[in-house]
Amino acid sequence: MAEKKQIKATLKSSTRTGAKKIATVMDSNATAFPLKTEGDNLPTVSEKRKILFVASEARPFIATGGLADVIGSLPQALAKDPQYDIRVVLPLYSDIKPEQRRKTSFLGNLYVPLGWRNQYCGVFTCVENGVTYYFIDNEYYFKRPGCYGYYDDGERFAFFSRSVLEILPFIGFYPDVLHCHDWQAALAAIYLKTMYCKRPEYQYIRALFTIHNIEYQGKYSLDILEDLFGIPSEYKYLLEYDGCINLMKAAIECSERFSTVSPTYAKEIKTAQYAHGLQDIICKNEAKLVGILNGIDVASYDPATDKALFANYSTENMQGKAVCKTEMQKMLSLPVKDVPVIAMITRLVSHKGLELVQMVAEDILHEDVQFVLLGTGDVAFEEYFKDLGRRYEGKASVNIAFNNDLSRKIYSGADIFLMPSISEPCGLSQMIASRYATIPLVRETGGLYDSIKPYGAGGNGFTFASCNAYDMLYVIHEAIDAYKNKESWENLMKKAATTDFSWLKSAEEYKALYIDTLNAF
Ligand code: GLC
């Protein structure tokens, strides 16, 4: 009865949005998309646009990387616009901290079909800064440490994605745009466009898929298509790529629009060098692709108020930054002296350009500098940097850890922030460092290219173009020299700290993209 009411309401709201008739096509070249017919209009301005974010992590609930920062801040930036109703669905991992967990309340439960299984799905909810969050509960899938890295991740995120579609009547919310992020949420777009769009209440929902990193595509053996993912074999052509299931490929193909997290990365992923095998799919769909640079949560990353800092400061009064540096040096057992501190806060994986650092680490450390590293990752890199730290005791501080509090102390205490990524879809650390008046030194790729401009040309940091350790070293020397001129360095710090990395501009670009997605067919 309640569901019937809901369906009626949705149909009414669809009519209000101006859409009239739809047609569904289904042949070997096209998926079961509802197609708009002539006369379809944009939603009227008087109605709220309903956006449902689907993602595998979001601050402040659960975070393993940059995705969590974006899903933690973009929805809230959008929700400031009274014309938008923004909601987010996440898995209810057991690692969500108790203080966050306590904020949620139980809405109810249902059973979600997954191949031949019917799985329990509890739904929890809470509201934070104008955004409604839903959490999908199933202890079999999510009562495990961490978020990823299990043999059955494909099944876990298939269950999550399928649950997103199943809970819509339950929560009484049919979004205008289902905004899915990375491969873990790809199946939500795929289920929508293959199976659910035939239901009247789902037919007007448009899908937008955002790639945060094309390296992780969600590849599985073709045998599990029907059994585990529950997708009829007639859609095999949509999911198959290179002899296996490729969830990212299918989400790109079947979403009305797809995006990535910087304009330069949007160009780069059309090439074999960056696309990890998906370049042909990207090029084929390039008319649907948009690159929007991420912002950061400038309220959370504010040196004037950040409680993790040894002292607060702002561009009007930078004295606190010197305190941050001295106290950080003490904390990390580095001599307290006025030499440039070069910092890296990074996952220790190859695409972060760590081989470049390895090649010239000794040259860097022979200069009158200090080097601070914070991060975890591949064992080989961890061991290499630990050894470097031992050999350059008192000059290099190597911290193999993931520590939010320490990261903020380093962002504020360092002078130069090194980020020589081989590829970087957007990168947030260079923006956070900037905000703390720590000068980024980056390779010109992806979002690094879009956010940091060279000092020599009046920019906010230091940059080098090719993947060459000696080009990087040359620019490091340039930065060390620039540091010696206190007055111009102070100006550079102010320039970096006042560069606008808020979500203001990017949130507007997302709104335009939602409208474009709604208009697409
Ligand atoms: C991924 C990317 C990173 C980006 C983040 C948020 O972690 O590797 O570059 O900033 O997603 O979009």
Side-chain angles (χ1 to χ4, degrees):
M1 188 66 187
E3 194 177 330
K4 263 196 193 151
K5 236 166 98 191
Q6 178 59 51
I7 294 174
K8 254 185 162 171
T10 314
L11 285 173
K12 224 170 100 199
S13 109
S14 304
T15 318
R16 257 189 290 134
T17 63
K20 283 173 190 144
K21 264 191 211 152
I22 59 129
T24 300
V25 285
M26 224 172 71
D27 59 36
S28 57
N29 296 317
T31 41
F33 301 157
L35 290 186
K36 282 188 159 190
T37 54
E38 262 177 58
D40 281 3
N41 299 318
L42 277 179
T44 53
V45 274
S46 61
E47 180 171 277
K48 281 199 178 208
R49 290 213 170 83
K50 302 190 287 287
I51 314 293
L52 186 59
F53 279 67
V54 187
S56 57
E57 48 182 283
R59 281 187 196 277
F61 304 102
I62 185 95
T64 72
L67 173 66
D69 285 274
V70 173
I71 309 301
S73 50
L74 170 61
Q76 303 197 358
L78 290 164
K80 289 197 180 118
D81 184 335
Q83 284 199 48
Y84 278 79
D85 183 348
I86 307 287
R87 308 193 187 190
V88 179
V89 195
L90 298 163
L92 188 70
Y93 303 104
S94 49
D95 268 6
I96 292 180
K97 292 201 185 76
E99 66 266 27
Q100 301 297 342
R101 179 73 198 249
R102 274 195 291 275
K103 289 182 195 162
T104 66
S105 57
F106 181 61
L107 268 186
N109 71 278
L110 58 155
Y111 282 81
V112 168
L114 196 65
W116 51 266
R117 307 154 192 79
N118 248 339
Q119 302 287 36
Y120 170 88
C121 166
V123 186
F124 286 75
T125 188
C126 70
V127 179
E128 282 258 301
N129 299 325
V131 177
T132 305
Y133 294 85
Y134 298 102
F135 298 88
I136 301 296
D137 176 36
N138 177 305
E139 293 198 344
Y140 170 68
Y141 290 126
F142 302 126
K143 194 176 174 184
R144 312 177 188 191
C147 298
Y148 322 112
Y150 293 97
Y151 76 97
D152 59 349
D153 278 358
E155 179 179 343
R156 295 168 73 223
F157 291 103
F159 164 75
F160 169 64
S161 299
R162 188 80 193 247
S163 300
V164 171
L165 295 164
E166 286 288 321
I167 67 167
L168 301 187
F170 188 78
I171 60 174
F173 184 76
Y174 293 95
D176 298 315
V177 178
L178 188 70
H179 189 173
C180 306
H181 297 261
D182 274 352
W183 77 263
Q184 293 90 344
L187 270 165
I190 300 165
Y191 285 135
L192 173 68
K193 295 298 170 186
T194 54
M195 293 153 75
Y196 285 76
C197 63
K198 293 165 197 161
R199 303 185 189 178
E201 332 74 283
Y202 291 78
Q203 64 188 347
Y204 297 107
I205 304 177
R206 299 293 188 243
L208 168 63
F209 180 66
T210 296
I211 300 172
H212 292 261
N213 193 336
I214 205 165
E215 195 174 339
Y216 310 105
Q217 299 172 2
K219 292 185 189 173
Y220 294 95
S221 152
L222 275 170
D223 342 317
I224 65 170
L225 184 70
E226 282 180 88
D227 172 40
L228 254 191
F229 292 167
I231 296 180
S233 59
E234 63 192 282
Y235 295 113
K236 186 171 158 206
Y237 75 94
L238 178 66
L239 284 103
E240 184 174 7
Y241 191 62
D242 251 354
C244 57
I245 290 176
N246 187 316
L247 299 178
M248 186 171 272
K249 177 254 179 182
I252 291 169
E253 295 266 34
C254 74
S255 296
E256 277 82 10
R257 291 285 180 269
F258 74 111
S259 73
T260 188
V261 288
S262 69
T264 296
Y265 195 61
K267 286 187 204 139
E268 289 172 342
I269 57 174
K270 290 182 202 160
T271 66
Q273 192 189 339
Y274 290 96
H276 291 268
L278 279 186
Q279 60 276 12
D280 292 346
I281 300 297
I282 305 287
C283 289
K284 181 178 151 211
N285 289 280
E286 71 175 310
K288 302 196 299 190
L289 172 63
V290 176
I292 301 178
L293 192 68
N294 287 331
I296 54 168
D297 180 346
V298 289
S300 162
Y301 295 112
D302 183 355
T305 54
D306 189 339
K307 291 196 176 66
L309 269 48
F310 288 113
N312 291 115
Y313 56 93
S314 66
T315 42
E316 281 83 59
N317 182 353
M318 296 280 261
Q319 275 169 8
K321 184 157 173 72
V323 179
C324 288
K325 179 169 176 176
T326 309
E327 292 304 316
M328 178 193 72
Q329 285 170 321
K330 285 186 200 159
M331 185 179 177
L332 299 177
S333 308
L334 294 168
V336 175
K337 55 178 186 168
D338 182 20
V339 295
V341 176
I342 302 172
M344 295 186 79
I345 300 175
T346 180
R347 270 185 302 128
L348 299 175
V349 291
S350 182
H351 81 260
K352 294 291 180 184
L354 298 171
E355 277 97 353
L356 300 185
V357 179
Q358 284 180 320
M359 280 180 81
V360 294
E362 312 278 337
D363 303 70
I364 299 172
L365 282 160
H366 282 128
E367 296 295 326
D368 198 10
V369 298
Q370 291 175 350
F371 177 72
V372 174
L373 179 132
L374 172 65
T376 58
D378 294 351
V379 178
F381 286 126
E382 289 189 358
E383 291 307 318
Y384 167 82
F385 282 108
K386 274 198 253 175
D387 177 61
L388 191 77
R390 278 192 291 266
R391 286 191 292 117
Y392 286 89
E393 212 187 307
K395 206 160 185 189
S397 163
V398 172
N399 308 276
I400 303 299
F402 183 85
N403 182 329
N404 185 40
D405 184 78
L406 180 56
S407 76
R408 286 167 183 257
K409 290 188 164 68
I410 297 173
Y411 280 125
S412 56
D415 299 295
I416 297 165
F417 189 82
L418 180 60
M419 202 162 168
S421 306
I422 304 304
S423 71
E424 195 61 74
C426 177
L428 303 172
S429 309
Q430 81 281 12
M431 302 188 195
I432 302 169
S434 272
R435 180 109 174 104
Y436 287 81
T438 297
I439 309 305
L441 192 161
V442 305
R443 194 178 90 76
E444 293 163 13
T445 184
L448 296 176
Y449 178 77
D450 294 331
S451 57
I452 306 302
K453 298 294 169 203
Y455 172 58
N460 53 355
F462 294 88
T463 72
F464 64 100
S466 64
C467 290
N468 180 314
Y470 289 92
D471 283 1
M472 178 182 80
L473 185 62
Y474 182 84
V475 178
I476 291 177
H477 282 135
E478 208 175 274
I480 295 172
D481 281 346
Y483 175 84
K484 290 176 190 151
N485 184 335
K486 292 291 169 216
E487 209 183 303
S488 57
W489 189 260
E490 180 111 9
N491 288 337
L492 178 56
M493 286 203 288
K494 284 188 181 153
K495 178 136 212 167
T498 51
T499 309
D500 182 11
F501 290 126
S502 74
W503 272 106
L504 268 181
K505 183 167 167 274
S506 304
E508 289 306 317
E509 290 179 43
Y510 272 104
K511 287 185 209 168
L513 177 56
Y514 292 140
I515 293 172
D516 188 38
T517 306
L518 278 167
N519 259 337
F521 59 87

